[in-house]
């Protein structure tokens, strides 16, 4: 029913709105392109290339893979956590059950985005940025700990590899393949950012919602940056910070579309992945609200 009727109808309606609001579409597409080119590309591309190099050189296979995946997702930001887990699964560094567990909490927003872009750039406060980042990380760790307790009595083993070690390709080929893989991934990320930025602006135009918080909620469901920007237009307060934490924790459909591409084949069902990200958003919002009671930032 969903794929046969609902999704085609929604896509058809979306195409109609593209024709009805060409100026909105053009401006939103341009804004999404600039966001990708000026912010996302330079901040994520070096991490993607470096991660590909580490994986192809077998570094992650010689260290704690779980910690490496969490660290990459935490430092680099969306969607590097999902990409790192997916790549390590395909190279055999982690087995299916561990991959699904890691995907429940390793794909997170980075500190540069939360503290720099949202905190300083949108709310005009480093304190707000640090509070959002701390609650974001605590929410991810809570989900990870819950998943670990669920699987602690099961035998988790890395998939066995043969003793035969194929000859490693030359470093020049490893570097060129890493750059090619990273550029292909960034092209996908850019296309999805532009598409969902257009969708968010179309939604804003059609619904014509007066409340910035309500519009921020809808926009954040589609794309995290636009949603956080709308929420930050209001004065810092209990509701604005809790909603901003929820939007960043959930990540938006744009991020999820990127993640689902990178985790294809790991066995993580999209519905389960969405459930974990929704839970992350709720936990982050709750922790942010709790922090506000003791350390109001307004």
């Amino acid at each position: 029913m969903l794929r046969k009727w609902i999704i085609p109808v929604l896509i058809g309606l979306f195409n109609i709105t593209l024709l009805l609001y060409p100026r909105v579409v053009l401006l939103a597409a341009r804004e999404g392109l600039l966001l990708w080119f000026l912010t996302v590309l330079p901040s994520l591309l070096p991490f993607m290339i470096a991660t590909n190099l580490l994986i192809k050189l077998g570094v992650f296979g010689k260290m704690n893979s779980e910690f490496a995946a969490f660290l990459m997702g935490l430092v680099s930001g969306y969607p590097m956590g999902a990409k790192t887990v997916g790549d390590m699964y395909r190279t055999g560094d982690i087995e299916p059950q561990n991959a699904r567990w890691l995907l429940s909490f390793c794909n997170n927003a980075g500190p540069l985005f939360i503290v720099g872009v949202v905190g300083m750039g949108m709310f005009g406060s480093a304190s707000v940025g640090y509070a959002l980042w701390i609650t974001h990380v605590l929410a991810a760790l809570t989900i990870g700990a819950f998943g670990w307790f669920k699987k602690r009595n099961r035998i988790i083993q890395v998939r066995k590899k043969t003793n035969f070690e194929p000859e490693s390709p030359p470093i020049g080929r490893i570097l060129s393949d890493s750059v090619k893989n990273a550029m292909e991934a960034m092209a996908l990320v850019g296309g999805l950012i532009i598409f969902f930025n257009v969708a968010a602006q179309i939604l804003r135009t059609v619904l014509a919602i007066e409340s910035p918080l309500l519009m921020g909620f809808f926009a954040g469901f589609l794309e995290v940056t636009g949603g956080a920007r709308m929420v930050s237009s209001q004065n810092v307060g209990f509701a604005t910070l809790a909603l901003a934490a929820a939007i960043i924790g959930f990540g938006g459909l744009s991020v999820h579309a990127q993640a689902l591409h990178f985790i294809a084949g790991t066995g993580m069902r999209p519905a389960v992945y969405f459930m974990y990200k929704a839970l992350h958003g709720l936990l982050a919002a709750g922790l942010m609200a709790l922090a506000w009671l003791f350390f109001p930032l307004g």
Side-chain angles (χ1 to χ4, degrees), residues 258-283:
Q258 301 164 33
L260 292 178
H261 168 77
F262 293 129
I263 66 177
T266 60
M268 170 65 87
R269 289 178 294 170
V272 176
Y273 173 78
F274 287 138
M275 179 194 71
Y276 279 123
K277 293 311 296 179
L279 178 61
H280 190 167
L282 290 174
L283 283 174

Side-chain angles (χ1 to χ4, degrees), residues 138-175:
L138 289 176
L141 290 173
T142 301
I143 295 172
F146 176 76
W148 183 83
F149 280 113
K150 282 182 63 178
K151 73 181 187 68
R152 63 177 178 172
N153 293 325
R154 302 173 187 173
I155 299 176
I156 307 297
Q157 295 179 336
V158 175
R159 286 177 288 175
K160 294 181 179 180
K161 300 179 182 180
T162 61
N163 293 326
F164 173 72
E165 292 290 341
E167 184 179 353
S168 299
I171 187 64
R173 180 179 173 184
I174 292 177
L175 177 60

Side-chain angles (χ1 to χ4, degrees), residues 73-86:
L74 199 63
V75 174
S76 308
Y78 295 129
M80 280 303 299
K83 185 179 186 304
T84 302
V85 175

Side-chain angles (χ1 to χ4, degrees), residues 91-112:
T91 56
D93 292 323
I94 53 176
E95 53 85 56
Q97 188 175 336
N98 266 2
R100 291 190 290 272
W101 169 58
L102 289 170
L103 288 171
S104 70
F105 72 101
C106 280
N107 196 35
N108 302 304
L112 180 62

Side-chain angles (χ1 to χ4, degrees), residues 100-130:
R100 291 190 290 272
W101 169 58
L102 289 170
L103 288 171
S104 70
F105 72 101
C106 280
N107 196 35
N108 302 304
L112 180 62
F113 172 75
I114 298 178
V115 179
V117 177
V118 179
M120 289 295 295
M122 297 181 186
F123 282 100
S125 170
S127 299
V128 168
Y130 285 119

